[in-house]
Amino acid sequence: GQWLGLSSAPVEEDDGSVFVAKEEDFKDSQRIRGTVKDREVVIFHHEGQYHALDLRCYHAGGPLHLGDIEDIAGQTCVICPWHNYTIALATGEGLYQGTDPLDPLRTKKWFSKGVKQRIHKVNVKNGGVYVTLSDTSIRCDSDDYACEKLKESENTV
Ligand code: FES
């Protein structure tokens, strides 16, 4: 699918949220990438709900804004285009398919690895979509790939 990149400088509101896009900008691709205080994020619009996540996949930094959206085990997920990791949009949990060793039939089921991808809060005000970053003092695996600055420094090595 297509995505829309916005180039205007983000402005922080009094409540710490940052304007990322207008609601109407989601019409075509149902997703927008943005930068909130040096952090790359993607916002998905799915069945009337907005979900913001770190844009770079926690596994190896894959571009989640290019991933497919699928309903898996009752959760809406994005599938990373690089190695097909599955991330629940509402929680940031990494999901994987496996078998329960105690199940004699070894039926394949979905399990959670816990929260791996950082999610952020989305507010809609006057047709604008605003993102508030979650508390980054608690580490999340996707932090390793989240910042433009980090990427730049990696590129210079
Ligand atoms: Fe996303 Fe590997 S980078 S699955």
Side-chain angles (χ1 to χ4, degrees):
Q2 279 200 327
W3 50 269
L4 183 62
L6 298 178
S7 56
S8 56
V11 178
E12 190 175 342
E13 303 286 297
D14 291 342
D15 63 2
S17 66
V18 171
F19 172 82
V20 178
K22 294 191 201 123
E23 281 197 281
E24 64 195 47
D25 296 332
F26 285 83
K27 268 194 197 130
D28 291 341
S29 65
Q30 302 294 312
R31 58 189 64 192
I32 296 278
R33 67 186 295 191
T35 304
V36 178
K37 301 178 191 173
D38 284 344
R39 200 172 184 99
E40 285 187 295
V41 297
V42 56
I43 300 134
F44 292 103
H45 184 239
H46 182 79
E47 293 177 350
Q49 303 263 11
Y50 290 98
H51 302 279
L53 299 89
D54 281 348
L55 183 141
R56 301 278 159 197
C57 173
Y58 71 90
H59 174 224
L64 293 184
H65 63 294
L66 302 178
D68 288 336
I69 301 294
E70 284 182 27
D71 281 319
I72 289 172
Q75 300 199 73
T76 305
C77 297
V78 57
I79 315 296
C80 179
W82 280 7
H83 317 98
N84 296 324
Y85 273 33
T86 300
I87 298 166
L89 292 188
T91 62
E93 280 172 281
L95 303 183
Y96 69 99
Q97 216 174 13
T99 53
D100 182 345
L102 300 177
D103 174 4
L105 298 175
R106 298 287 162 103
T107 317
K108 279 207 163 186
K109 284 198 291 194
W110 286 94
F111 296 91
S112 172
K113 302 182 205 174
V115 175
K116 295 289 182 181
Q117 193 75 17
R118 186 180 289 287
I119 57 167
H120 306 284
K121 201 171 120 208
V122 185
N123 283 326
V124 179
K125 276 189 296 198
N126 303 325
V129 178
Y130 294 77
V131 170
T132 308
L133 294 184
S134 64
D135 176 5
T136 49
S137 66
I138 302 154
R139 214 195 95 79
C140 191
D141 284 7
S142 62
D143 292 346
D144 293 348
Y145 304 99
C147 293
E148 292 282 356
K149 278 189 188 128
L150 178 75
K151 258 192 344 200
E152 281 164 24
S153 63
E154 279 178 347
N155 290 342
T156 58
V157 176

